[in-house]
Each structure stands twice: as C-alpha cells, then as structure tokens.
C-alpha cells in the first residue's frame, strides 16, 4: 500500500519523481504528491486521483524546480483520498516534508501530545504526527531528529524526509515496510520497489528494519538503530527495464498473462536437472527439517491462498502428509495447532503482505520452520523465513495477479514431488511422469493462451451478466476460487465459486433462467459427477460455459459453450485451466470499460492488516 520515491542529484527532481510514482502507482492510486527542495526552500504539490492529475497540476514537474525531492502515491487508510490527506506532509514552519508507507499504530496518543505542545494538524492521517515529531526533535542535527522520531513510532514505516536546512540531502528509514536505495553516479534514489529505480540504476541496497540512510548526490551512508554506520553490499537487479513496461500491450495484466509460459520456464527449468528436481535454494538443513515434519500448514492471502489450495491437493495426494491451508488473517487469531513438527509454507507474490508476515511470526513463535514461496527478492517475507523458494516471475505490475499465481503453483508442484520423493513414495515411473509433466507446463500454458480469440468472443457474449457462478470439484474447485476472484476484482461483476455438488445445499435457489454458470471439469476422476451438476443447473435454466480438457468432449452434450484446455497430468491441471479464465476476466472487464490495471479500491501489496 502506498509507494514512496526520493531523488537527489543534479537533474530536476520533480519529473523523475513523477516518473518513479508512475511505476509505483500499482501500490496505491487514490492521490499523490511531491515536495522538492530548492535553494533551502521546500515546495509541495498534492492532488487526489491518479498521477495524471499531479502531472497536470505541476506541468510535468516544471513548477517545482530543484534537484532533491520526495514523492508519494497513496492508498488511503486514515482519512479520505483528498488533497489534504495526500502525502507529502509538511511541518508547520515548512522546514520538513515527509512521505510514508505503512501505519503508525500509536498515532492517536502522539497526536494528542503534539497538539498539547502547540503543533497544528492539517490532515486526518496517522502520518502527520511524524513530521511534527521531527520538528519537535530537530535542533540542527537531522540524523538525530530522525532517529529520535523513529524511536517514538509503533507500527510500520518506510519513511522519506527532506529538510530545508540540509539542501541536497534525503533521509530514509524503514521498519516492516519495504525501502530500497538506488545507487547512481552523482545521484542517488530511494523507492518502495526496484521498478521505480531500474530505468536509472540497477545497483541497489536493501535496507534492513531499523536502518536509517542519509543520501546526497555523492554518497549514501547507512546507520543501524543505534546510529552506528553499517556497511552494505550493493545488489544488482537482474531484470531489464522492459520487464516493468507494457511492451506494446494495452494493459499490464494482458502482458503478464502472455508472459506466463516464460515465467513458468524461469521457475521450473533451472530446478529440474537430468530429470531430477534440485531445489538449489535449499541446503541440507531443509532436508533434515523436512524429515521431522508431521504436518504442513500453508498460509497466504487472496490469490496466493488459492495457489495454496492447489498446493494442498498436490502435496496431500503425493506426499500423504496432512496439509491445512488457512487465510493468513484467520490463522493467527485462532490459536492454531502449530508446533516444531509443523512446516509452515507462506505463499506471497510481493513478500510484503502484512497478514502473511504476522502469520509467519505466529508460526515461528510456536516453533514451526517457515518455507516461503515468494516472487520479490529481498522482501520482508523472504528475509523472515527459514527457507525461500523464489518464483522468478519477474515484476508483476497489474494489481490482479496472473503470472504471480501460476508460478506459485508451479513451485508448489515441484515442492510436492520433491517432498514425496524424499519420503520414498514415488515409483521411478511416477517420478519421471510428474517431472515430465511439470517441464511441459510452459508449453501447455502457451496452448491455453492460444485460446485467446475464442475467449475474447465468449467474454463479449457474456459481458452483461451481473452475477454468475464458477463450479468445480477438487482441484477444479480450487481453480474456481481464483477464476471468480479475477472476474470480481477487475470487472466488478459479482461471482461466487462453489464446490459443484455443494450448490444444491442451498445456493441453487439462485440459479434462474439465463444465469451464467462456468463449470470447470478437468478432474478426470470426477468428470461424470461434474456433468451431473451441470445437468442440475441446466435443468433450472442456467447457461453453461464449460472448461475441460481435450478428452472431455462429451461435455458438449450439456454445455452451451466449451473451452478445451490442453491435457496435463491431472494434478497439474490448475495452471492451463486458469489461463482462459484470466483472459475471460480481462476481456469482460475491458468490454465493460473498467480500469483493468488499477481496479477500484485495491492496491497491489496489502501492507496493512
Ligand atoms: C488478487 C491479488 C491478491 C493477492 C493478495 C496476496 O489478484 O493479487 O489477492 O494475491 O493480496 O498478495 P501477495 O501474494 O503479494 O502476498
């Protein structure tokens, strides 16, 4: 939630800040603002709405000359998305401006204290207390003021500060929110995410929690929580600028759907060598840990939770170890049964989801070892976990995840086979069948993408539905959960995912003439059962769009329309099966004129609980 960026160098800061904010807009897009220091004076402009409005209001940044500044794009938590509540926030005397990503939990008490000392608040935000604290603690030493301020804050923050008294200098400090420093030549940056930096520099420093950095055009100095200088190695971003651009597609979401075969290859191929799964990311310690595991708990939010549901079926089927999947925000509050024989698998694209982080902490406190399946390198979840498997999907910019989700399933499938093999549960024939099937997933995904024109046609035909159902059994049901979420979040059309047989325990009352039911029938063993459920809704007037594999031609007898996805091993069917439904959501949303990459009320990474 929220993106921050800062620049100090020799170029005009404002256009660079606006460019950086555009790259971070996926993190929040209800309002934005920038503040620039020029000759020891700060100027600030804020605007509600998308970055375009800020760009117009500042004439592309030309209204704010100066080579040092900070910017923010917001997803409102405390206070409506108005100009006043937008960041930056300035001190009463105009000496400090700050941008903040995170939540200050003790802001009410701080606000009362500061009001009592005469500070005047302009906004309803939690953030504004920070700038008044800075003002209160500043006695000519910016570093000291920032550190004393940070010591008063409870909650999470990635904070950028500019001060009129110290021209050309930025301060940045973080606690449980992402913050990355970009190392340039004669210029330096900070940002919430490398996407805002990569067109300027590929050299970055990942700050640790509690660390504080002072940036000038020529230097970056990092201090630990006690104010002692610490040295940091510089990491190199491995992907190119184009990976974070639309590359000719109308939307990032469509581009990312199309990128799935490539992303899948990156996740899978390096991990299968000479027919054997090699999880290089692990050391022998994981093998020892896994041999002591009696139970697995998968935790995640949203689509990552849906990937976890697919993972449960795969692991239980192959590894015969009990697996529980729980939404992270629920897991931590229900006194979960987790002990030192539990493996907690946390799944997250961003690696910054607050509830997933909290669930990991809960699991660790109870003795579990934590394995993270994460896309963003150096993210909080990656750092917090005992073992990490990266999904290598590359940057995912569209708010609705696509390649993030499918690569999570690809990695879970590798893990399921690895675990089953470690437990000695697979014959050599089954092992090579499964690894062969996993290696074929990029090609199967491409063939599913080739359904694009047919899906676009069907989306046009069904775009006017106001409420619909996705039904399926077993793995098909897990895929229904994701298909339904995709449609809801970008097209705003109500839909529900139902275990196909469960429908008749009440919800079938909603099936009426012309109601669209999307029936997923790729589970071969349950195909005839799903056919019966299709007949039940047809008998009540529903229109049925079926998704099945090439062997399921008899679905024609019942369905109004059919999408045939490529055949895979039944345990691996989720990936090709979701692809046409991602496209379906995309084309329905597009036909209905929705803002696909920035759906209303959403943000890409949910860093608040
Ligand atoms: C939906 C979507 C969200 C995320 C969820 C978890 O398209 O993207 O449901 O899956 O917010 O995010 P991560 O995977 O970053 O932890």
């Amino acid at each position: 939630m929220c993106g921050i960026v800062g620049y100090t160098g020799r170029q005009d800061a404002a256009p660079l800040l606006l460019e950086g904010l555009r790259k971070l807009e996926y993190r929040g897009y209800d309002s934005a603002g920038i503040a620039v220091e020029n000759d020891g004076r700060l100027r600030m402009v804020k605007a509600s709405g998308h970055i375009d409005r800020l760009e117009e209001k500042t004439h592309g940044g030309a209204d704010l000359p100066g080579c040092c500044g900070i910017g923010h794009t917001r997803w409102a938590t405390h206070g409506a998305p108005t100009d006043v509540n937008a960041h930056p926030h300035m001190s009463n005397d105009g000496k400090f401006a700050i941008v903040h990503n995170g939540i200050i939990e003790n802001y009410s008490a701080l606000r009362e204290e500061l009001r009592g000392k005469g500070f005047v608040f302009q906004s309803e935000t939690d953030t504004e207390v920070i700038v008044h604290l800075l003002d209160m603690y500043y006695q000519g030493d910016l570093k000291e003021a920032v550190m004393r301020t940070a010591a008063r804050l409870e909650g999470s923050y990635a904070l950028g500060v500019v001060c009129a008294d110290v021209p050309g200098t930025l301060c940045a400090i973080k606690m449980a929110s992402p913050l990355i420093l970009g190392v340039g030549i004669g210029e330096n940056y900070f940002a919430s995410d490398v996407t805002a930096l990569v067109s300027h520099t590929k050299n970055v420093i990942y700050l640790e929690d509690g660390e504080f950095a002072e940036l000038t055009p020529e230097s970056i100095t990092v201090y630990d929580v006690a104010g002692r200088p610490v040295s940091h190695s510089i990491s190199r971003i491995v992907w190119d600028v184009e990976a974070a651009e639309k590359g000719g597609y109308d939307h990032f979401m469509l581009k990312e759907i199309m990128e799935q075969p490539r992303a899948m290859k990156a996740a899978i191929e390096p991990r299968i060598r000479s027919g054997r799964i090699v999880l290089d990311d692990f050391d022998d310690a994981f093998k020892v840990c896994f041999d002591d595991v009696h139970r697995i708990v998968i935790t995640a939010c949203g689509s990552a939770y849906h990937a976890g549901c697919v993972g449960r079926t795969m692991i239980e089927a192959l590894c015969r170890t009990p697996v529980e999947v729980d939404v992270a925000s629920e897991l931590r509050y229900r006194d979960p049964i987790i002990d030192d024989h539990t493996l907690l698998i946390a799944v997250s694209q961003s690696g910054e989801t607050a509830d997933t982080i909290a669930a990991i902490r809960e699991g660790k406190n109870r003795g579990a070892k934590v394995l993270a399946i994460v896309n963003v390198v150096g993210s909080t979840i990656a750092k917090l976990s005992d073992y990490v498997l990266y999904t290598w999907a590359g940057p995912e910019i569209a708010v609705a995840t696509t390649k993030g989700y499918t690569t999570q399933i690809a990695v879970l499938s590798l893990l399921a086979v690895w675990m089953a093999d470690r437990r000695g549960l697979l014959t050599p024939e089954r092992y090579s069948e499964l690894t062969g099937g996993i290696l074929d997933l990029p090609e199967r995904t491409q063939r599913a993408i080739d359904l694009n024109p047919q899906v676009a046609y069907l989306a046009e035909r069904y775009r006017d539905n106001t409420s619909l159902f996705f039904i399926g059994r077993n793995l098909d049901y897990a895929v229904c959960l994701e298909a339904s979420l995709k449609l809801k979040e970008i097209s705003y059309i109500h839909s529900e995912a139902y275990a196909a047989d469960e429908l008749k325990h009440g919800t079938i009352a909603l099936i009426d003439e012309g109601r669209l039911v999307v029936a997923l029938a790729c589970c071969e063993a349950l195909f005839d059962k799903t056919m019966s459920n299709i007949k039940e809704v047809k008998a009540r007037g529903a229109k049925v769009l079926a998704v099945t594999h090439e062997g399921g031609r008899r679905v024609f007898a019942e369905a109004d329309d059919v999408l045939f996805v490529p055949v895979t091993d039944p345990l691996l069917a989720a990936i090709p099966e979701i692809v046409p439904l991602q496209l379906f959501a995309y084309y329905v949303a597009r036909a209905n004129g929705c803002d696909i990459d920035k759906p209303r009320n959403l943000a890409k990474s949910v860093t608040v609980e």
Side-chain angles (χ1 to χ4, degrees):
M1 311 277 176
C2 302
I4 67 170
V5 62
Y7 171 82
T8 178
R10 299 193 186 98
Q11 304 180 61
D12 269 332
L16 292 169
L17 295 172
L18 288 167
E19 182 201 319
L21 291 180
R22 276 199 182 286
K23 301 274 169 49
L24 296 175
E25 208 177 3
Y26 72 92
R27 299 178 67 87
Y29 36 84
D30 58 37
S31 50
I34 51 178
V36 175
E37 176 272 318
N38 191 22
D39 284 339
R41 281 196 55 222
L42 300 186
R43 289 195 56 206
M44 175 173 84
V45 178
K46 315 200 266 192
S48 55
H50 290 185
I51 307 290
D52 292 344
R53 286 215 50 228
L54 181 65
E55 187 133 20
E56 273 163 35
K57 214 166 163 183
T58 59
H59 299 97
D63 291 358
L64 288 94
C67 300
C68 177
I70 54 178
H72 186 274
T73 180
R74 180 169 186 244
W75 187 87
T77 56
H78 297 64
T82 58
D83 286 11
V84 171
N85 288 332
H87 302 207
H89 292 283
M90 234 183 213
S91 55
N92 292 154
D93 60 2
K95 194 176 278 184
F96 297 95
I98 61 156
V99 285
H100 167 224
N101 169 30
I103 298 264
I104 304 305
E105 286 162 6
N106 58 336
Y107 82 99
S108 296
L110 290 172
R111 184 189 275 252
E112 284 322 301
E113 175 188 329
L114 289 158
R115 273 206 178 119
K117 292 188 165 131
F119 290 95
V120 179
F121 281 77
Q122 313 284 342
S123 74
E124 302 157 81
T125 64
D126 55 333
T127 299
E128 198 181 341
V129 295
I130 304 173
V131 78
H132 299 312
L133 282 173
L134 273 173
D135 195 359
M136 183 167 86
Y137 288 127
Y138 182 69
Q139 284 167 354
D141 183 340
L142 180 59
K143 178 178 158 227
E144 159 106 12
V146 172
M147 296 193 70
R148 287 185 71 185
T149 297
R152 298 291 313 277
L153 303 177
E154 288 167 21
S156 58
Y157 48 85
L159 197 63
V161 180
V162 64
C163 173
D165 274 3
V166 199
T169 297
L170 296 174
C171 290
I173 185 163
K174 91 161 216 106
M175 180 62 72
S177 288
L179 191 59
I180 295 144
L181 310 179
V183 185
I185 298 170
E187 56 185 15
N188 289 308
Y189 301 79
F190 67 73
S192 301
D193 184 343
V194 289
T195 49
L197 304 172
V198 72
S199 57
H200 301 287
T201 178
K202 288 192 163 190
N203 294 329
V204 297
I205 293 172
Y206 293 97
L207 279 190
E208 300 290 337
D209 277 352
E211 285 183 345
F212 161 75
E214 219 168 32
L215 294 85
T216 70
E218 305 301 339
S219 67
I220 293 182
T221 317
V222 180
Y223 303 92
D224 68 11
V225 80
R228 293 173 299 236
V230 283
S231 64
H232 257 282
S233 55
I234 293 179
S235 308
R236 197 80 192 138
I237 303 171
V238 290
W239 42 267
D240 288 324
V241 175
E242 298 76 54
E245 308 280 350
K246 277 194 206 145
Y249 288 97
D250 290 343
H251 297 96
F252 278 111
M253 183 179 176
L254 187 58
K255 175 182 176 241
E256 288 160 8
I257 291 173
M258 300 299 174
E259 278 173 354
Q260 289 180 108
R262 208 176 67 203
M264 208 84 60
K265 264 187 187 212
I268 294 168
E269 283 186 358
R271 290 171 170 146
I272 302 186
R273 286 187 229 133
S274 310
R276 301 290 309 166
I277 297 176
V278 185
L279 301 177
D280 274 345
D281 329 50
F282 288 169
D283 47 21
D284 288 341
F286 181 73
K287 290 183 184 152
V288 174
C289 149
F290 181 66
D291 290 346
D292 201 29
V293 164
H294 300 176
R295 221 170 128 255
I296 296 172
V297 174
I298 303 180
T299 194
C301 301
S303 297
Y305 164 76
H306 299 156
C309 294
V310 175
R312 168 180 51 197
T313 305
M314 295 190 296
I315 296 171
E316 284 193 337
L318 295 172
C319 197
R320 307 312 297 155
T321 300
V323 183
E324 190 184 322
V325 194
D326 215 344
V327 168
S329 55
E330 290 294 313
L331 178 83
R332 54 186 294 224
Y333 291 117
R334 63 176 178 78
D335 198 6
I337 302 171
I338 291 178
D339 60 19
D340 51 3
H341 295 294
T342 308
L343 175 67
L344 184 68
I345 303 181
V347 187
S348 175
Q349 188 285 128
S350 64
E352 299 296 344
T353 302
D355 283 313
T356 310
I357 292 171
I360 292 173
R361 293 208 163 103
E362 183 67 36
K364 287 190 114 176
N365 286 342
R366 289 169 188 257
K369 284 279 182 252
V370 179
L371 162 62
I373 296 179
V374 178
N375 188 34
V376 177
V377 175
S379 55
T380 305
I381 290 179
K383 286 184 184 155
L384 203 59
S385 303
D386 300 295
Y387 309 98
V388 183
L389 282 173
Y390 283 109
T391 53
W392 300 124
E396 192 178 63
I397 310 291
V399 165
T401 183
T402 52
K403 62 177 182 171
Y405 164 82
T406 46
T407 51
Q408 285 162 356
I409 296 177
V411 170
L412 280 161
S413 69
L414 286 164
L415 189 64
V417 177
W418 184 93
M419 286 174 165
D421 181 52
R422 180 82 191 154
R423 296 254 151 114
L425 294 172
L426 298 176
T427 61
E429 295 71 32
R430 184 69 180 128
Y431 185 86
S432 60
E433 214 171 74
L434 284 162
T435 48
I438 295 173
L439 279 170
D440 285 343
L441 281 173
E443 184 267 343
R444 297 292 194 277
T445 307
Q446 183 56 56
R447 280 170 50 201
I449 287 175
D450 294 342
L451 293 167
N452 190 26
Q454 201 184 336
V455 179
Y457 166 80
L458 290 172
E460 188 57 42
R461 177 154 161 182
Y462 290 119
R463 61 182 272 199
D464 293 330
N465 278 268
T466 52
S467 176
L468 60 113
F469 290 89
F470 289 86
I471 61 167
R473 289 161 175 263
N474 201 264
L475 266 179
D476 288 331
Y477 171 52
V479 178
C480 285
L481 295 170
E482 176 61 5
S484 173
L485 176 62
K486 282 286 88 77
L487 186 72
K488 277 185 279 212
E489 66 182 331
I490 60 166
S491 74
Y492 319 139
I493 291 173
H494 170 256
S495 77
E496 278 185 54
Y498 249 83
D501 199 59
E502 185 65 12
L503 205 62
K504 60 174 163 284
H505 295 280
T507 307
I508 202 164
L510 293 173
I511 302 294
D512 53 5
E513 198 60 37
R515 171 87 43 222
L516 178 61
V517 174
V518 182
L520 275 61
C522 287
C523 279
E524 189 53 47
L526 293 167
F527 187 87
D528 291 328
K529 301 262 180 211
T530 307
M531 281 290 280
S532 304
N533 300 128
I534 293 176
K535 284 184 190 156
E536 287 160 9
V537 293
K538 282 296 291 178
R540 285 153 183 88
K543 287 245 177 263
V544 172
L545 164 58
V547 180
T548 185
H549 51 68
E550 286 142 1
R553 297 210 159 257
R554 53 198 194 283
V555 83
F556 265 131
E558 297 301 332
D560 297 270
D561 291 289
V562 185
L563 286 166
F564 289 107
V565 295
V567 179
T568 54
D569 187 285
L571 278 180
L572 305 174
I575 291 178
E577 195 173 17
I578 192 62
V579 170
L581 298 170
Q582 294 169 336
L583 287 165
F584 183 74
Y586 173 81
Y587 284 114
V588 169
R590 188 180 171 131
N592 291 332
C594 301
D595 191 349
I596 291 172
D597 284 339
K598 298 191 207 80
R600 71 182 177 212
N601 304 338
L602 299 184
K604 180 79 180 156
S605 56
V606 184
T607 54
V608 293
E609 291 177 28

